[in-house]
């Protein structure tokens, strides 16, 4: 049975429900909890049996590393070997917040399932008061991927977690909806062979944008091209290798001029309906009435990429709730920077990189 605790978004670590949930993690259990990005599924990052329970509950591939969440910078001393100047400046600027930094892992400090055999570990300090309070109550670093079945759209509220994981995990802390709505930005500090020429590589875009990074590290190159790991290669970050965030129906992104996109989607909808498919369209609010589909999910305004980010995963889940089998999505009308880069990344993953250009 999965326990359920409802707390206020600003609950402290002394809240009796969070003390109970923290004790469950400390004793090797699994607990889902809110962060400012999405809901995470937490376990003691040092406990291999507990971490394996996270993988089983999610059905997660074994070579996909986990992010470790901390509530205090002093916790880094036990889990990483070193932090250089650039990494420390990023922590000063963005922690607590939606930024994960890949750092050299301290040998033997974490379960090998957390790092997927890599010599590095991604660490972040979430900005949600409930997440910080729970980590403090647990008294340990918490490994936490998103609290969904692997491949499904990430959960942005406790109801999404219950839909995917009820009966599979120890408990769910309901602290209200997530804020950003997309997973954290993941970066690694890279150096040249001689120790110089530092650059920051973005492994996964998210709520901390490339522009944010450049403002804090002027003069340090930022490599923002998102690379897919080669076949057989372990990804350095979650969200890099596998199809993620996907609805059950076949999702296709249509790119091109607004007129051509609308025409192609309308023709595709007509054909799919003749074939007995249940249809869906993902669009911005201003264009949703252009289409005649069984389900039309407007994830936000064309003028507000942050709203679209908050609503994307809930919109994708709407198609599953309605049994939609074929979905078409307009390309997002946002610049390919800022949160728009993260939105494009997640939508492409959700579609399995299935993109039709017209």
């Amino acid at each position: 049975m999965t326990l359920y605790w409802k707390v206020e978004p600003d609950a402290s670590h002394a809240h009796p429900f969070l003390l109970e949930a923290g004790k469950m993690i400390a004793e090797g259990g699994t607990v889902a909890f809110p962060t400012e990005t999405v809901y995470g599924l937490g376990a003691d990052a040092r406990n291999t049996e507990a971490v394996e329970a996270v993988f089983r509950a999610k059905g997660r591939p074994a070579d996909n590393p986990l992010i470790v969440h901390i509530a205090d910078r002093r916790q880094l001393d036990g889990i990483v070997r070193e932090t250089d100047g650039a990494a420390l400046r990023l922590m000063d600027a963005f922690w607590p917040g939606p930024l994960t930094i890949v750092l050299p892992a301290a040998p033997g400090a974490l379960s090998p399932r957390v790092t997927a055999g890599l010599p590095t570990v991604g660490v972040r300090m979430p900005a949600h008061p409930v997440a910080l309070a729970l980590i403090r109550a647990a008294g340990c670093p918490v490994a936490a991927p998103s609290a969904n079945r692997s491949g499904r759209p990430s959960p942005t509220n406790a109801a999404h977690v219950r839909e995917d994981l009820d009966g599979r995990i120890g408990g769910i802390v309901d602290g209200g909806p997530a804020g950003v709505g997309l997973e954290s930005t993941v970066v690694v500090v890279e150096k040249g062979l001689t120790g110089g020429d530092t650059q920051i590589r973005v492994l996964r875009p998210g709520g901390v944008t490339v522009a944010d990074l450049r403002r804090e590290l002027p003069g340090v190159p930022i490599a923002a091209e998102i690379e897919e790991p080669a076949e057989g290669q372990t990804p350095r970050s979650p969200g890099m290798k596998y199809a993620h965030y996907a609805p059950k129906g076949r999702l296709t992104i249509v790119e091109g001029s607004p007129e051509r996109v609308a025409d192609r989607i309308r023709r595709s909808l007509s054909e799919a309906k003749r074939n007995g498919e249940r249809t869906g369209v993902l669009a911005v609010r201003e264009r949703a009435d252009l289409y005649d589909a069984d389900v039309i999910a407007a994830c936000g305004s064309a003028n507000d990429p942050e709203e679209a980010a908050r609503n994307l995963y809930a919109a994708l889940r709407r198609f599953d709730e309605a049994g939609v089998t074929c979905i078409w999505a307009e390309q997002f009308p946002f610049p390919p920077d800022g949160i728009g880069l993260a939105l494009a990344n997640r939508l492409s993953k959700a579609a399995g990189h299935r993109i039709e250009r017209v």
Side-chain angles (χ1 to χ4, degrees):
M1 182 181 72
T2 298
L3 299 180
Y4 180 84
W5 302 281
K6 173 70 174 177
V7 300
E8 293 301 315
D10 59 353
S12 77
H13 69 281
H15 192 292
F17 288 170
L18 293 181
L19 290 175
E20 185 178 353
K23 184 171 184 285
M24 181 178 286
I25 290 176
E27 293 178 349
T30 55
V31 174
F33 62 96
T35 77
E36 80 281 17
T37 57
V38 299
Y39 269 67
L41 176 59
D44 184 345
R46 307 164 302 181
N47 184 332
T48 293
E49 185 176 345
V51 173
E52 286 177 343
V54 169
F55 278 86
R56 286 195 302 272
K58 286 179 58 67
R60 184 181 179 92
D63 67 343
N64 208 359
L66 304 182
I67 291 171
V68 174
H69 295 64
I70 61 175
D72 190 304
R73 292 248 299 251
R74 288 173 292 186
Q75 289 179 288
L76 286 173
D77 294 340
I79 60 177
V80 304
R81 284 193 290 108
E82 60 182 0
T83 52
D84 70 4
L88 289 171
R89 287 163 64 188
L90 291 175
M91 293 174 200
D92 289 340
F94 300 113
W95 282 9
L99 180 71
T100 295
I101 305 173
V102 176
L103 299 164
L110 300 167
S111 165
R113 296 300 305 276
V114 169
T115 61
L118 295 171
T120 56
V121 60
V123 185
R124 91 176 185 98
M125 186 186 298
H128 199 294
V130 171
L132 294 172
L134 178 63
I135 297 166
R136 293 188 183 103
C140 61
V142 174
S146 55
N148 58 303
R149 289 288 288 172
S150 188
R152 296 269 288 129
S154 297
T156 53
N157 60 52
H160 295 160
V161 181
R162 276 183 143 169
E163 179 184 340
D164 280 10
L165 299 178
D166 192 28
R168 295 175 175 270
I169 61 177
I172 300 170
V173 176
D174 182 351
V180 177
L182 299 179
E183 296 80 2
S184 62
T185 303
V186 182
V187 302
V188 61
V189 180
E190 297 180 329
K191 294 183 178 180
L193 296 177
T194 61
D197 303 321
T198 295
Q199 75 166 359
I200 305 297
R201 180 170 297 279
V202 179
L203 302 180
R204 181 179 73 184
V208 173
T209 69
V210 173
D212 294 331
L213 296 170
R214 287 185 172 135
R215 276 195 300 270
E216 294 301 326
L217 293 174
V220 176
I222 309 292
E225 298 79 15
I226 311 303
E227 300 175 356
E228 296 286 331
E231 186 67 29
Q233 180 182 3
T234 298
R236 290 191 287 176
S237 160
M240 290 183 69
K241 183 174 182 180
Y242 298 96
H244 283 300
Y245 327 117
K248 295 174 183 176
R250 178 184 173 89
L251 171 62
T252 302
I253 302 167
V254 184
E255 294 184 351
S257 70
E259 296 78 14
R260 287 178 176 271
V261 167
D263 180 65
R264 177 56 60 88
I265 291 177
R266 284 193 290 256
R267 287 191 284 114
S268 297
L269 287 170
S270 296
E271 181 179 355
K273 287 185 176 184
R274 287 195 298 270
N275 293 333
E277 301 281 3
R278 188 159 174 80
T279 60
V281 170
L282 178 71
V284 292
R285 188 178 304 119
E286 292 84 346
R287 292 175 57 81
D289 61 357
L290 296 178
Y291 304 108
D292 179 20
D294 294 304
V295 176
I296 298 174
C299 62
S301 169
N303 301 312
D304 191 346
E306 286 76 17
E307 181 188 20
R310 288 192 299 271
N311 295 331
L312 174 63
Y313 292 143
L316 292 176
R317 284 177 176 265
R318 279 187 58 199
F319 298 124
D320 290 350
E321 293 164 3
V324 170
T325 56
C326 290
I327 307 159
W328 286 267
E330 291 187 337
Q331 66 185 99
F332 284 118
F334 308 121
D337 55 16
I339 199 70
L341 177 63
L343 275 164
N345 171 266
R346 301 307 194 275
L347 187 60
S348 179
K349 288 280 188 179
H353 304 295
R354 191 179 303 107
I355 300 173
E356 186 175 356
R357 294 177 174 88
V358 296

